[in-house]
Amino acid sequence: MFSDIRTKIRGMWTLHSLRARLFIIILVVGAIPGILMRYGIMENYEDHAIQLRTNTVQTQLKILANHLIRYNYLQDNSSEVIGAELDMLSNLYDGRVLIIGGNFKVVKDTYGISEGKTIISEEVIRSFGNVSLSNYDKNHGYIEMTTPITETVKVMKDDGEVEEVVVRGVMLTSISSDSITTTMDILNRKAIILEALMFLVILVIALVLSNVLTKPFAHVTQAINEVKAGYTDETISVPDYSETIHIVDAFNHLLARMKVLDDSRQEFVANVSHELKTPLTSMKVLADSLLADPDAPAEMYREFLSDITAEIDRENQIITDLLALVKMDKKATPMNISSVSINDLTELICKRLRPIARKKDIEVVFESLRPVTAEVDEVKMTLIINNLVENAIKYNVEHGSVKIVLDADHQMFSLEVSDTGIGIPQDSLEHIYERFYRVDKSHSREIGGTGLGLAITKNAILLHRGSITVSSVEGEGTTFLVKIPLTHIAG
Ligand code: ADP
């Protein structure tokens, strides 16, 4: 019981199940935007914060640069005002400021390490060209800036006195970006917590949705199982989705077809029982009447016994026909295909049946328009021709005739069997291929029909992928036309 439930649950949640796929899709589609958004926002925030910090410090450095010129700091670094300003700046931003003079010599280092040294770096040289530079070193957690220390001087040129900006020195500043990184860590942590919460919510939504969306399919399975268990043999209905409507429609069609098959099988069994019982009943009546009359004369015995023999023959015929039909019904029965001369075969059958025809003075004519050799099952082909010609004789009138015409094109051969017999009423034409169907039961019985001949014939023709059609005028005659491919189509 438990293992049953376990396999069921496993079945529902394998990657092949629609529910599992829906669950994964909802989860992925729901969670990915959150993760991307967090990355995007954090990255953006970092750029923005670094830019802001750089701008603020650059502005202060520019003010400081003016003060440096005013206090002539590059020549004399003893100014306490500037010293205090530098201390404040380096404390505020947890940084280091180097003031480099025109000869690339360090005038002041707030760390006091590099004073008097010469610094010729690419940034410093570029900054002497009056450009402010900044560079963020993410790995080491600091921002490096170079700021030119400029002075505006009046110069005499040919066209008079002009103002000119001269770079007197450069400030090389590095400030820590730790505070920005810390803020980012806090933000990131908060975002991750939020994201985890969101993930949980999406997980629940995915679970609920995948269950709700696949429910109709479970309804379909349940409805089909109910039919399978035999609780209902009505048509089922699951109108939840158009997809389930289609599945259920197809199932209902199948159900209807199976019902028809089942009905026809039941009818067939009932017919078989009835047909097999009739000769037995007759035999019993005949035997009983002989037993009831101990003084019955020998002629009566002989007459009744010959009637009993006729009934036994009839019973035998029905059983033979039934066996032929059942054999042909089994689709797996192999076809014994060989090249057969249809001319010779028809000729042979006509020869065999002529003595019966002669009893009613019926002429059997075979007209062959061309020699025909086809790939057929000889036994089944014999059954087809024999049944049609035999019927044409059986349901014929005294001095009538039967005509068989054989023809072929490059694909099919055709066999037309026409008679000048009693004909078949129009409303019976569609039933003559049904098992045990006889137009006139008493007449047919009189001439030894079982009602199975045409059913066998049609089955044998279909096994050859051929067709049979009939036209008939009551009181005038009947024509059957059979068409069969010259080469056998397997399957
Ligand atoms: P049966 O063994 O009774 O002949 P069939 O299946 O061969 O059974 O034929 C079914 C019925 O079709 C026959 O009972 C008969 O009423 C009718 N039938 C078949 N062939 C002919 C024919 N050539 N002319 C008139 N009626 C026919």
Side-chain angles (χ1 to χ4, degrees):
M1 169 78 185
F2 282 115
S3 74
D4 206 41
I5 293 172
R6 236 177 291 142
T7 17
K8 223 172 179 178
I9 291 173
R10 220 178 298 138
M12 280 193 281
W13 284 106
T14 53
L15 270 182
H16 291 292
S17 82
L18 178 63
R19 181 182 308 193
R21 286 177 189 197
L22 269 177
F23 175 76
I24 292 170
I25 290 169
I26 298 169
L27 205 65
V28 169
V29 170
I32 283 181
I35 297 171
L36 289 181
M37 232 159 75
R38 179 165 61 85
Y39 271 109
I41 289 174
M42 293 315 290
E43 202 80 352
N44 224 335
Y45 170 78
E46 191 179 15
D47 289 350
H48 185 72
I50 294 291
Q51 195 58 51
L52 203 73
R53 176 70 53 91
T54 311
N55 289 349
T56 317
V57 177
Q58 285 277 28
T59 314
Q60 294 196 12
L61 285 172
K62 271 177 194 149
I63 296 166
L64 181 65
N66 285 339
H67 290 178
L68 289 177
I69 295 294
R70 195 181 313 149
Y71 286 92
N72 201 18
Y73 194 82
L74 294 173
Q75 272 71 45
D76 172 16
N77 66 357
S78 61
S79 163
E80 280 184 14
V81 181
I82 300 291
E85 246 181 89
L86 278 170
D87 283 346
M88 192 197 74
L89 203 70
S90 45
N91 282 339
L92 197 63
Y93 297 111
D94 188 15
R96 180 184 184 183
V97 184
L98 282 119
I99 298 169
I100 301 160
N103 49 4
F104 295 99
K105 274 233 160 67
V106 177
V107 177
K108 172 78 183 169
D109 175 3
T110 51
Y111 278 16
I113 308 167
S114 304
E115 277 167 19
K117 285 184 186 163
T118 309
I119 292 183
I120 312 174
S121 70
E122 195 196 328
E123 286 85 5
V124 173
I125 295 168
R126 278 182 62 199
S127 216
F128 268 107
N130 197 12
V131 274
S132 296
L133 300 168
S134 73
N135 173 42
Y136 172 42
D137 187 335
K138 200 173 182 165
N139 296 332
H140 297 100
Y142 65 83
I143 311 165
E144 202 176 63
M145 287 169 261
T146 42
T147 321
I149 305 165
T150 54
E151 190 180 356
T152 315
V153 289
K154 289 188 168 70
V155 187
M156 280 302 292
K157 287 264 168 89
D158 300 343
D159 46 352
E161 199 181 56
V162 283
E163 283 193 342
E164 206 169 68
V165 177
V166 184
V167 179
R168 301 284 186 213
V170 164
M171 266 187 290
L172 185 62
T173 318
S174 52
I175 54 165
S176 165
S177 62
D178 281 356
S179 60
I180 294 174
T181 322
T182 316
T183 318
M184 266 186 49
D185 281 348
I186 295 168
L187 274 176
N188 208 11
R189 225 169 297 141
K190 279 188 181 165
I192 286 175
I193 293 171
L194 214 76
E195 215 174 82
L197 281 174
M198 236 170 72
F199 191 76
L200 267 177
V201 174
I202 293 167
L203 195 86
V204 174
I205 292 175
L207 256 175
V208 173
L209 268 184
S210 59
N211 266 315
V212 169
L213 290 176
T214 52
K215 249 251 151 78
F217 295 100
H219 289 159
V220 174
T221 316
Q222 193 189 346
I224 292 176
N225 277 340
E226 273 173 19
V227 175
K228 202 171 83 186
Y231 297 140
T232 172
D233 55 0
E234 299 292 309
T235 54
I236 57 170
S237 151
V238 183
D240 306 23
Y241 294 151
S242 52
E243 282 84 354
T244 55
I245 293 174
H246 289 154
I247 296 174
V248 164
D249 268 358
F251 178 77
N252 283 337
H253 274 117
L254 186 73
L255 205 66
R257 255 197 73 187
M258 275 163 58
K259 258 192 218 155
V260 169
L261 279 179
D262 196 46
D263 287 352
S264 85
R265 206 193 58 211
Q266 279 183 14
E267 195 188 312
F268 180 60
V269 171
N271 282 341
V272 168
S273 320
H274 176 77
E275 294 297 328
L276 289 178
K277 263 188 92 175
T278 317
L280 284 178
T281 317
S282 307
M283 284 188 263
K284 174 121 175 79
V285 170
L286 290 164
D288 277 351
S289 42
L290 283 182
L291 284 175
D293 184 2
D295 307 321
E299 297 83 61
M300 192 174 157
Y301 266 94
R302 209 165 296 121
E303 191 195 329
F304 278 27
L305 278 178
S306 88
D307 285 351
I308 288 176
T309 316
E311 290 301 335
I312 291 173
D313 285 346
R314 184 172 160 66
E315 184 94 36
N316 220 347
Q317 185 60 49
I318 296 174
I319 292 170
T320 312
D321 281 1
L322 269 176
L323 284 177
L325 197 65
V326 169
K327 243 192 208 164
M328 228 151 341
D329 259 359
K330 273 202 214 150
K331 291 274 179 316
T333 329
M335 293 280 278
N336 200 358
I337 301 296
S338 60
S339 246
V340 177
S341 158
I342 307 296
N343 301 64
D344 294 351
L345 190 67
T346 316
E347 199 70 70
L348 188 78
I349 293 167
C350 288
K351 208 169 142 195
R352 270 209 309 249
L353 291 176
R354 272 194 191 108
I356 304 170
R358 221 166 286 137
K359 283 183 194 161
K360 282 207 278 182
D361 189 28
I362 293 166
E363 191 190 12
V364 179
V365 183
F366 173 42
E367 187 185 333
S368 168
L369 300 182
R370 66 194 74 238
V372 177
T373 308
E375 288 175 11
V376 291
D377 181 320
E378 192 168 356
V379 177
K380 293 187 178 78
M381 200 61 224
T382 310
L383 270 175
I384 296 169
I385 305 173
N386 195 79
N387 279 348
L388 291 177
V389 180
E390 202 181 340
N391 276 354
I393 298 169
K394 272 195 317 192
Y395 301 102
N396 218 317
V397 288
E398 293 260 340
H399 318 298
S401 70
V402 175
K403 189 176 179 191
I404 304 138
V405 181
L406 177 64
D407 195 5
D409 57 21
H410 57 285
Q411 273 186 329
M412 302 262 200
F413 71 88
S414 64
L415 198 74
E416 194 183 78
V417 182
S418 46
D419 62 58
T420 53
I422 57 172
I424 304 167
Q426 288 305 307
D427 52 347
S428 294
L429 279 178
E430 56 179 310
H431 299 292
I432 52 173
Y433 304 108
E434 289 168 13
R435 294 149 178 188
F436 297 114
Y437 183 83
R438 279 160 289 181
V439 175
D440 177 350
K441 287 214 183 246
S442 57
H443 180 65
S444 177
R445 191 171 145 69
E446 209 176 278
I447 45 184
T450 59
L452 292 171
L454 283 181
I456 295 172
T457 306
K458 182 156 188 183
N459 265 5
I461 292 169
L462 291 182
L463 283 176
H464 284 92
R465 307 252 159 173
S467 64
I468 179 166
T469 47
V470 61
S471 59
S472 184
V473 179
E474 240 181 310
E476 282 185 23
T478 308
T479 302
F480 281 96
L481 178 65
V482 176
K483 283 188 173 179
I484 289 178
L486 289 166
T487 39
H488 179 64
I489 306 161

